[in-house]
């Protein structure tokens, strides 16, 4: 199937269209952040401005349309600039871990033998470690900060891609056109990049778009647990962690501080949902066998 | 034939070491091909035809496969001794190969032009533009109409016969000296088969190459070959000129095969078949490997394995009882 056709079908499918619109919406917000929420200090745009030093969150007002979180951090500003953080986390983690996974899986599947055995057993060892705990421990060791969160999530996030790619390569390398390329005198490098990877990449694209959402959630979880972004950094997980003391509401009113949870939570949910919708649509379009 | 041999396979043995045991897929096969001739290799599934051809190309997957013994002299150079890099220069350039399934032997994500150009770009020092022109020329030579248009089409837009023509164009694009055709017509229907064989014959004359035609179809062999090697259970059991082989088979297996082809003149109630199956390659019988299915088998056949021997000039057979076969043929001729 050609790319144009994939794109046309993505737009024709209502579910994927919703996903696409959401992603485009978030994309516009991320790109337009400096205009939507102008930073007071342009040298540090990711630091959320504070409207005071009070402890209690303040409800939405004309000045702070989403209200302020604990410590008077402006929720609106945090959400807008947090979109950029979410995209950055998603693209970097998924991009690098998929790359590692594709490389490892392809080489293991293509060369086989003892190399495959060694590489896949290492992959198994990585898979045997509980993902979240491993990420927490590693981030703690490396030190707080988004960069270290990303390193930890990449380190423990490539195995599924590797396995998926390996299984794909194993089936495609028995295809006659790969043997035919070999019989034409093509080198390994050429066969892998021209004939193998292009014919096996689609499931990886699906998996990657599904993982975009979950990686952002995991990064937010680490921020929520206090080992992600530094305090005051525009990050959705951090915005939710500000709500930790206020989730149960106040005297006689359980939803008094709803905005501290619902707004950043909604942002994360919609972001993940949109990637999952696109992933689902990709799968429907690219893999008719799964329908 | 006093010409230089193009390829000379001597006592080739290719084994697969599997967990269940060693499979002797090819076990002491010898034959030679002269420039410009077609050697047919015929046999049932699993007799080692394809493994022989893959061994020549050194495309046996290793492990588990391994060329255990023998030499493959191509223009005097032993292919079994070359490293992968040297071998890559020969593949596609001096020896090329076409496969059984034209449906799967082209990469679905590239245009046919790209794929023909690939071979040209690997082996020749030409620009992309020149390679494209050569690809179009090749498509013309293999009889594809509107080559300028077809060159930009994807394999799924072509029919099976067309794809096989594209495969042939690909394999001949670097003007090889030897073309190995591994059941090139098996997946095609009969009329297309005839066209492809006709095409291969005419290209053979045009390019002056030799062809090694692998098939289980005796009709195909008769149509294109000059000489034929009949394989059974990893061995060549009969080796002769195509006319001699068809006119007067000297091995009970070949004879049985000939006998099992339906003839249009004869009105038969039922077809004769060779009883039994090809023996399990993990567990070949002692002695002559055909002894379990041979009506002439004696105790000698179950102990000693016969070697290929010249029974008539240029006609080799590996059988202890050629005389018994002759008697049987004489009897049937009378009856």
């Amino acid at each position: 199937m050609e790319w144009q056709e994939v794109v046309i079908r993505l737009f024709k499918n209502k579910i994927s269209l919703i996903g696409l619109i959401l992603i485009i919406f978030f994309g516009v917000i991320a790109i337009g952040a400096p205009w939507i929420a102008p930073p007071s200090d342009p040298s540090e745009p990711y630091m959320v401005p504070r409207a005071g030093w009070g402890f209690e969150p303040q409800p939405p007002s004309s000045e702070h349309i989403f209200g302020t979180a604990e410590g008077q951090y402006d929720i609106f500003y945090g959400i807008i600039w947090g979109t950029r953080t979410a995209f950055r986390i998603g693209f970097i983690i998924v991009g690098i871990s998929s790359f590692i996974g594709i490389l490892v899986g392809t080489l293991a599947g293509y060369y086989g033998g003892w190399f495959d055995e060694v590489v896949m057993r290492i992959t198994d060892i990585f898979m045997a470690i509980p993902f979240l705990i491993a990420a927490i421990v590693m981030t703690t060791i490396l030190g707080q900060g988004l960069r270290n969160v990303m390193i930890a999530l990449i380190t423990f996030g490539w195995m599924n891609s590797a396995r998926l790619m390996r299984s794909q390569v194993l089936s495609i390398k028995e295809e006659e056109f790969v043997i035919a390329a070999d019989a034409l005198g093509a080198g390994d490098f050429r066969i892998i990049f021209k004939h193998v990877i292009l014919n096996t990449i689609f499931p990886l694209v699906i998996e990657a778009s599904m993982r975009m959402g979950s990686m952002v959630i995991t990064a937010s979880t680490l921020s929520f647990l206090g080992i992600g972004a530094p305090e005051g950094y525009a990050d959705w997980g951090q915005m939710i962690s500000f709500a930790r003391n206020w989730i149960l509401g106040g005297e006689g009113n359980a939803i008094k501080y709803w905005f501290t949870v619902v707004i950043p939570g909604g942002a994360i949910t919609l972001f993940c949902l949109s990637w999952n919708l696109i992933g689902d649509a990709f799968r429907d379009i690219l893999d008719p066998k799964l329908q | 034939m006093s010409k230089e041999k193009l390829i000379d396979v001597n006592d080739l043995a290719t084994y697969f070491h599997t967990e269940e045991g060693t499979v002797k897929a090819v076990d002491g096969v010898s034959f030679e091909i002269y420039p410009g001739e077609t050697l047919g290799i015929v046999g049932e599934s699993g007799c080692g035809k394809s493994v022989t051809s893959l061994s020549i190309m050194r495309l046996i997957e290793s492990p588990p496969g391994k060329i255990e013994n023998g030499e493959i002299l191509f223009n005097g150079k032993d292919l079994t001794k070359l490293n992968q890099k040297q071998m890559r220069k020969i593949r596609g350039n001096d020896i090329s190969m076409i496969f059984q399934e034209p449906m799967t032997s082209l990469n679905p994500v590239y245009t046919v032009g790209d794929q023909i150009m690939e071979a040209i770009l690997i082996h020749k020092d030409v620009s992309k533009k020149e390679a494209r022109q050569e690809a179009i020329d090749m498509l013309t030579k293999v009889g594809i109409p509107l080559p300028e248009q077809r060159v930009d089409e994807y394999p799924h837009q072509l029919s099976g016969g067309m794809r096989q023509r594209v495969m042939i164009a690909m394999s001949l694009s670097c003007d090889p000296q030897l073309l190995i055709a591994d059941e090139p017509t098996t997946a095609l229907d009969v009329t297309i088969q005839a066209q492809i064989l006709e095409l291969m014959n005419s290209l053979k004359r045009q390019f002056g190459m030799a062809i090694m035609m692998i098939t289980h179809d005796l009709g195909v062999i008769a149509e294109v070959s000059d000489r034929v090697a009949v394989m059974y259970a990893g061995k060549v059991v009969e080796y002769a000129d195509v006319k001699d082989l068809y006119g007067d088979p000297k091995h009970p297996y070949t004879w049985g095969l000939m006998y099992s082809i339906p003839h249009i003149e004869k009105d038969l109630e039922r077809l004769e078949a060779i009883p039994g199956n090809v023996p399990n390659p993990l567990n070949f019988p002692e002695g002559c490997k055909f002894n379990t299915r041979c009506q002439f088998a004696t105790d000698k056949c179950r102990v000693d394995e016969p070697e290929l021997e010249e029974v008539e000039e240029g006609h080799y057979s590996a059988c202890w009882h050629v005389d018994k076969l002759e008697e049987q043929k004489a009897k049937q001729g009378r009856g």
Side-chain angles (χ1 to χ4, degrees):
Chain A
M1 201 179 318
E2 287 155 61
W3 276 107
Q4 300 91 309
E5 206 183 330
V6 173
V7 173
I8 290 170
R9 288 178 68 173
L10 263 184
F11 278 101
K12 275 192 180 159
N13 183 324
K14 282 196 192 78
I15 289 176
S16 72
L17 194 60
I18 295 171
L20 269 180
I21 289 172
L22 279 170
I23 288 293
I24 292 169
F25 172 71
F26 278 115
V28 168
I29 289 178
I31 293 166
W35 295 278
I36 300 169
S40 49
D41 179 2
S43 67
E44 275 192 324
Y46 286 101
M47 297 318 286
V48 182
R50 304 179 74 160
W53 304 98
F55 190 59
E56 195 184 350
Q58 296 300 316
S61 62
S62 59
E63 216 174 312
H64 304 287
I65 54 170
F66 287 167
T68 58
E70 182 183 292
Q72 304 313 312
Y73 287 105
D74 182 24
I75 295 179
F76 180 72
Y77 190 94
I79 296 297
I80 298 298
W81 285 86
T83 314
R84 281 194 170 194
T85 312
F87 270 113
R88 203 175 62 209
I89 291 173
F91 280 129
I92 292 177
I93 295 176
V94 172
I96 298 179
S97 63
S98 294
F99 177 79
I100 297 172
I102 288 171
L103 201 68
V104 168
T106 307
L107 295 179
Y110 187 78
Y111 287 106
W114 63 267
F115 179 75
D116 178 35
E117 201 62 38
V118 170
V119 167
M120 291 324 286
R121 291 302 77 79
I122 293 174
T123 309
D124 284 344
I125 291 171
F126 270 86
M127 291 193 96
I129 306 169
F131 176 60
L132 198 59
I133 294 171
I136 290 170
V137 171
M138 191 164 171
T139 315
T140 315
I141 293 170
L142 291 172
Q144 197 195 29
L146 269 189
R147 200 173 62 102
N148 293 337
V149 166
M150 289 195 267
I151 292 173
L153 293 186
I154 289 167
T155 310
F156 295 98
W158 54 272
M159 295 83 75
N160 274 326
S161 315
R163 278 197 163 184
L164 184 60
M165 194 65 186
R166 175 176 172 270
S167 69
Q168 292 284 316
V169 169
L170 281 183
S171 72
I172 214 83
K173 85 167 174 175
E174 301 300 327
E175 291 282 336
E176 265 183 345
F177 64 81
V178 175
I179 301 169
D182 215 345
L184 278 179
D188 284 351
F189 187 80
R190 195 188 190 95
I191 292 174
I192 288 175
F193 283 91
K194 240 194 121 169
H195 295 285
V196 173
I197 289 192
L198 264 181
N199 277 293
T200 49
I201 202 81
F202 277 141
L204 270 292
V205 173
I206 297 166
E207 197 246 7
S209 70
M210 297 284 203
R211 227 144 42 89
M212 279 293 282
S214 66
M215 280 304 176
V216 169
I217 289 194
T218 313
S220 299
T221 309
L222 295 182
S223 286
F224 181 81
L225 294 173
I227 52 171
E231 176 157 359
Y233 194 89
D235 172 75
W236 293 345
Q238 165 120 227
M239 298 312 287
I240 295 183
S241 80
F242 285 146
R244 207 180 317 171
N245 296 324
W246 312 93
I247 291 172
L248 294 177
E251 327 83 54
N253 186 358
I255 55 165
K256 189 172 175 195
Y257 303 111
W258 63 272
F259 49 91
T260 59
V261 182
V262 172
I263 292 172
I268 293 177
T269 309
L270 285 178
F271 190 81
C272 293
L273 181 68
S274 60
W275 283 108
N276 285 356
L277 290 179
I278 288 183
D280 269 338
F282 257 131
R283 187 172 53 197
D284 289 351
I285 291 167
L286 299 173
D287 200 346
K289 276 171 278 179
L290 285 175
Q291 275 177 345
Chain B
M1 285 195 219
S2 57
K3 282 184 289 180
E4 278 287 302
K5 290 169 185 172
L6 176 63
I7 192 160
D8 187 2
V9 177
N10 275 319
D11 206 21
L12 175 73
T14 305
Y15 297 170
F16 290 88
H17 301 280
T18 66
E19 278 170 24
E20 291 101 76
T22 301
V23 176
K24 298 181 177 177
V26 173
D27 196 10
V29 163
S30 304
F31 57 82
E32 63 273 332
I33 303 175
Y34 293 91
E37 79 162 350
T38 302
L39 175 74
I41 295 198
V42 66
E44 286 171 83
S45 320
C47 69
K49 311 178 296 255
S50 294
V51 175
T52 305
S53 66
L54 291 173
S55 299
I56 294 176
M57 291 296 268
R58 292 272 309 279
L59 287 174
I60 296 289
E61 201 162 323
S62 168
K66 190 164 177 252
I67 297 176
E68 293 284 338
N69 189 25
E71 49 180 18
I72 303 166
L73 296 171
F74 179 73
N75 284 330
K77 231 186 312 179
D78 190 353
L79 298 186
T80 59
K81 301 222 161 51
L82 298 185
N83 62 29
Q84 283 298 323
K85 204 175 159 201
Q86 292 166 317
M87 205 51 224
R88 238 174 253 144
K89 282 204 186 107
I90 288 179
R91 284 181 204 142
N93 198 19
D94 297 321
I95 309 178
S96 63
M97 194 163 175
I98 53 179
F99 294 90
Q100 182 172 356
E101 272 292 338
M103 297 295 171
T104 55
S105 47
L106 292 169
N107 189 333
V109 301
Y110 290 104
T111 63
V112 297
D114 276 338
Q115 299 189 51
I116 300 173
M117 280 161 65
E118 182 173 19
I120 299 170
L121 289 169
I122 290 172
H123 295 292
K124 291 187 190 170
D125 190 19
V126 292
S127 70
K128 274 211 156 150
K129 214 173 155 194
E130 289 166 308
R132 188 185 151 87
Q133 191 50 51
E134 276 190 46
I136 294 173
D137 290 346
M138 281 313 301
L139 287 178
T140 318
K141 278 182 192 157
V142 297
I144 288 185
L146 301 173
E148 281 90 358
Q149 192 184 321
R150 294 290 183 189
V151 78
D152 291 319
E153 287 187 1
Y154 287 87
H156 69 91
Q157 292 167 288
L158 305 176
S159 67
M162 287 279 214
R163 286 187 221 186
Q164 197 58 292
R165 282 172 196 262
V166 170
M167 271 309 287
I168 294 173
M170 251 167 95
S171 54
L172 297 188
S173 57
C174 289
D175 205 357
Q177 292 167 280
L178 174 65
L179 175 68
I180 300 176
D182 191 351
E183 310 234 8
T185 56
T186 307
L188 305 171
D189 61 48
V190 181
T191 45
I192 309 294
Q193 253 184 36
Q195 288 173 13
I196 295 289
L197 291 178
E198 179 48 44
L199 173 72
M200 287 180 67
N201 268 342
S202 79
L203 289 172
K204 185 179 100 171
R205 284 190 294 272
Q206 201 179 331
F207 285 78
M209 65 194 171
I211 297 179
M212 179 173 151
M213 173 69 85
I214 295 167
T215 180
H216 63 255
D217 187 334
L218 289 162
V220 168
I221 290 283
E223 197 137 336
V224 297
S225 306
D226 299 310
R227 285 180 310 125
V228 185
V230 180
M231 282 187 75
Y232 184 79
K235 293 235 174 212
V236 175
V237 293
E238 188 167 2
Y239 185 45
D241 251 46
V242 67
K243 283 203 191 81
D244 297 342
L245 186 96
Y246 280 75
D248 190 15
K250 296 285 188 199
H251 192 280
Y253 176 60
T254 322
W255 177 71
L257 284 180
M258 301 287 175
Y259 213 64
S260 58
I261 301 173
H263 282 276
I264 201 158
E265 322 70 83
K266 279 192 227 160
D267 199 6
L268 290 173
E269 278 295 313
R270 60 185 298 250
L271 271 177
E272 291 298 325
I274 304 175
N277 282 317
V278 184
N280 180 352
L282 282 167
N283 188 19
F284 279 143
E286 286 276 309
C288 173
K289 283 166 184 159
F290 191 56
N291 72 37
T292 50
R293 305 170 71 186
C294 183
Q295 54 176 300
F296 310 112
T298 58
D299 288 341
K300 189 179 188 187
C301 301
R302 291 182 192 100
V303 182
D304 287 331
E305 186 158 20
E307 293 292 318
L308 266 187
E309 268 175 49
E310 192 160 18
V311 287
E312 271 173 22
E313 205 199 335
H315 196 145
Y316 298 80
S317 168
C319 181
W320 296 122
H321 300 301
V322 179
D323 46 335
K324 280 195 189 172
L325 174 64
E326 290 301 310
E327 272 172 38
Q328 179 69 24
K329 278 197 281 190
K331 234 189 272 171
Q332 275 177 355
R334 262 181 272 127

